[in-house]
Amino acid sequence: MILRILHTSHKGLPDHRVEREAYVAKKKGHSIDFLGLGSTDAPTLDVFDSITMLRKINNRQVALDKTIRTDWAKEVRRLNPDIIHANDIIAAVFSSDLGIPMVYDDHEYWSAQRV
């Protein structure tokens, strides 16, 4: 079964963590897209079928600006993934109520801060 996987992050590329995970899935034949916020440079690995970047936001906008969540939801619907891979807490919050299966991988950042 080939999946359309959407990697999401509140940052841009390159990001070796995101790209490494996308590379493994791409080798298995899956379709890989990326959705992030702000500007981006070329990724280190050529694994993404598409890269979509929305406007950059600050921490206050994450909590208070409803338009960025609307824009995020529109892009996710347009990309129509089978599963979302949220690579940080902001991407997870933006993606969690969209009715699409989601995996949240904090890369040990948030869990390490609980110690």
Side-chain angles (χ1 to χ4, degrees), residues 63-76:
L64 301 175
D65 188 342
K66 303 281 189 218
T67 63
I68 193 65
R69 291 178 189 228
T70 301
D71 294 345
W72 186 276
K74 283 180 187 175
E75 280 304 309
V76 170

Side-chain angles (χ1 to χ4, degrees), residues 78-105:
R78 183 185 70 78
L79 292 166
N80 194 28
D82 296 312
I83 190 166
I84 297 171
H85 181 224
N87 288 283
D88 54 60
I89 191 69
I90 294 170
V93 169
F94 283 4
S95 301
S96 63
D97 293 332
L98 300 178
I100 297 169
M102 182 189 77
V103 174
Y104 167 54
D105 183 358

